[in-house]
Structure formats: structure tokens, C-alpha cells
Amino acid sequence: MEKQNKRGFIFKTDKGNFYFYDDKTAYVSRTISYNEEIVYGTEDFNYLETNEAVINNMLEHLVTKQLILNVTEDCNMRCKYCVYSGNYTNNRVHSNIYMSETIAKKSVIKYLEQFKIKRKYNISSQPIISFFGGEPLLNFELIKNIVKFVKDNYDGMVVYTVTTNGTLLSREITDFFVENNFDLTVSVNGSEQEHNRLRVFGNGLGSYDIIKKNLNYVFEQYPDYYAQKVYFSVVYDTGTDMVALESFFTEEKLFRNKLSSLSEVVSSFTNWYAQYDKTEKEKFISNRNNLKQKFLSKIYTDDSINHVLRKMFGDMFVLILNRRFCDKGKMEKPSVLPYTGACIPGTKVSVGCDGKLYLCEKVNCANPIGNVDEWIDSKCIKTLLDEYNKVGVKCINCPIQSLCPSCYRLLMDENGRLDMDQLKGCEKIIQQFMQGFRNLYSLMEDGKDVYKIFFPKK
């Protein structure tokens, strides 16, 4: 294969055929080869400052899809892996700070005003207002008041969401969420043993029994609501028995088929994973690999795939199938977008208790992009993108530049600077994508309809 001006990798399917994934165009083509190979690019890094006029034009047309109100920095739990636990050098710790009604109302007014103006660019969109924390139910009165405020001041449909640890989910709060059709996401990490391993109160006691009792009330009193609007967010680490996790969220009545997210404890700016020895890490990898083989075997035998396996392994295939193509020899991305898969700042807005605006609920509070009085500040976004685009010195020739999932939250230190040394495990991520392409193209060579498999009709 001619490798000049190429960037990507060569992979081999189960039938022994070789293909080249071209990261510049996103196309995959057959190639004559005898080895799998990672092909790094040869471009010289030429950093260009972001044009503020381009950013202003982008913001003028950008529909902010979601407003996230971080209604408190307080929490009634002390989960061991929490980014606010003190284990992360780039994040705050829990505090008794609460969002005021004034800041919340200003946020809603600005968001809905901007949404009405820009909705013409996406007429099918609906405003989404989300409540986050800390533990947002500690400030439930504010949530109630804001929902009433929106109803009194906005005629259209609004989607409400809340993410909670579930321990404060009283009957009054549940009734309110049902009445206002909230999407309710509860953090549950699996069985009682697994959940209580890390999701604990300040006294070290687990929270599983309390959450299950509260969920039982929702399930029994509002079965239709529970079926349609209640979901679970799961976090795991090397100490998690992934086989047991798959079984729990597949078989348990309250939890089956309701997984909204499955994410690994973040490894940036922490030594969290130093607690696990080589044997524990190898066991975790082995169990995960066995589950992946189970996932693939079900595809080959046309067996139904449970949603846990689909969430564990299917998202990689969805990302590959959804990749963007280009016929001009270079991936077409907005000029302000950085390397990697980071979003355009302003796609959603997260409001802190201090009234400052941030990229999202997962990014620390060291680099605001505006405030509730003046809203999104293009100068702040320019500064952030200029700094982030400098990652190109490391990423310009990466073979999965257009697929990489890395973003601001993994790199931003406590001072708002972007620490490129936190781009860990790049080789591992490249290998994961290579394996994903191997599996996907092996399935296609066997005549499998991969789009039907990974985009099933509901």
C-alpha cells in the first residue's frame, strides 16, 4: 500500500482479508498486505489561532441543546470514586454551597430566550433543563420553583431531567417528578455488594437498601412512568465483577433493560487505579474479554443481545458506523473544532452555583465560558479553543484523530490549563479501534446486516 500522505491503520478480518482505514477520509478499502500496521501521518504541526469572527458566527447559529443547573455543591453521600471526593487534583470538593433562585431564574430566562431565537436552525428541537449536583434533591425546593417558573413564562414543551443518587427520593419528590414527566436517572452500580463497595455515606455504610426501597415505591405506584422514564447510570472500575454486573442489570426486576450509561472511573488527575495489583487488573481484563466474546457469539448465532452487552461493547461499533466521511481527502470539521472528539463549546451549558457558565457538568469549574448575566462569551471560548487546539502537536498524525473520544474534561487541570500529559493510553485506544474494525468487517464478510444489529428498531 502507498503510505505517503496516509494516516490510519491496516487491519485483518477473520477470513484473512486486509483493509486500510483512512482516518483522513474515514473510508475503508481493501489492500494487499501481509501485516496489520498502524500508519501515522507525516504532517508538520501548523497551529493557527482560532478566528473570533468564525466563533461568533458559530454561536449565532448554534442551538444550545441543554441547560444544566448544578443546584448545589453539597451531597449527602461520600462515594469513594466521586470526582468531588478529594481524589482528583483538578476538581473541587463537596461544600454546602447552594444555587440561589435568582441565578437559576436568570439562567432559565437567558436559555429560553436564546432557544426561541435559534430554534429556526433546528425546528425539531425542544429545550432540555437538567438538574445536577452534588445531590440535586438537597435543593428540591429550587427545582420545584424553577419548574413552576418555566410553566409561567414559556408556552412550549420543555423536557426535564434529573440525575440523583436516589437516597432522598421521597414520595413527595417522586409524585412531583411523575406529575411533570421528568426523565429520572439514578446512580446504581449493580448488586448490593458491588454498589455498597463504593457508593457509601460519610459513615462508610452503603446506600443500596435505601435506594431499592425508594425505587420500589416508584415501580409499584407508577409502573408506566417507571417503564418509560426511569434509568440507571452505572460506574465501574478494575474492582468490578463485570460478569456479575451484566447478570444483575439483565435479570433483576427493578433494573433490567434500563441502563442509560455505563462508564469507567476517570483515570485523569488521580491515582485511583494504583490500589489494584497486576492480578486484579488481569482478572478484570479477562472477564471483560469473555463478555465481549459472548457479545460477538450472539451476533454470529443471531441470538438476541441484552442491553448491558450492547452498552458495554456496541457503542464502539455505533461510533465506527457513524463516522463522518469526506470525498476531498481530508475530514471536514468546523474550523473551530479541535482534534479528537471534543464538542463545540456552547452545545450545552452548565451553570454553577456561582452563576458562571461551563462546558458541561463533567468539566471542572476552572475555565468558565460566560455568566448568567451576559451569557456565552466568545472571547472565553476562543481562549479555550486556542489552548485546546495546541493538542494538535501531539495529535496531528494520530491514526484515529477523527474517532478519538478524548475531550476537555480529561485534560483540564485545577487552574484551567490543559495538561496534555493526561492523554494517557493513546496506544490502547488505537488498539481498541483496530479491534472494533476487525470485528465489524468480519461480521460484514459473514453477511451480517450490521446496521440492523447496531441500530435496532425500538
Side-chain angles (χ1 to χ4, degrees), residues 365-399:
C365 297
N367 217 327
I369 60 171
N371 60 67
V372 294
D373 294 308
E374 298 165 353
W375 211 234
I376 299 174
D377 187 338
S378 62
K379 288 184 173 60
C380 291
I381 291 179
K382 172 178 164 50
T383 300
L384 176 62
L385 289 176
D386 282 343
E387 179 70 18
Y388 193 77
N389 277 329
K390 292 174 183 176
V391 75
V393 72
K394 183 170 184 178
C395 301
I396 183 68
N397 292 307
C398 174

Side-chain angles (χ1 to χ4, degrees), residues 391-431:
V391 75
V393 72
K394 183 170 184 178
C395 301
I396 183 68
N397 292 307
C398 174
I400 57 163
Q401 183 191 111
S402 64
L403 291 171
C404 180
S406 298
C407 74
Y408 316 97
R409 74 185 182 102
L410 300 176
L411 304 176
M412 196 178 293
D413 69 16
E414 65 275 16
N415 298 310
R417 293 190 294 266
L418 296 169
D419 181 358
M420 299 313 162
D421 289 337
Q422 298 300 323
L423 271 177
K424 302 172 183 175
C426 293
E427 190 64 30
K428 177 183 175 182
I429 297 172
I430 292 169
Q431 291 296 333

Side-chain angles (χ1 to χ4, degrees), residues 66-83:
Q66 182 181 13
L67 174 69
I68 303 160
L69 299 178
N70 294 277
V71 297
T72 181
E73 294 184 3
D74 199 1
C75 187
N76 64 322
M77 290 180 62
R78 290 296 182 266
C79 300
K80 296 177 183 179
Y81 61 86
C82 179
V83 293

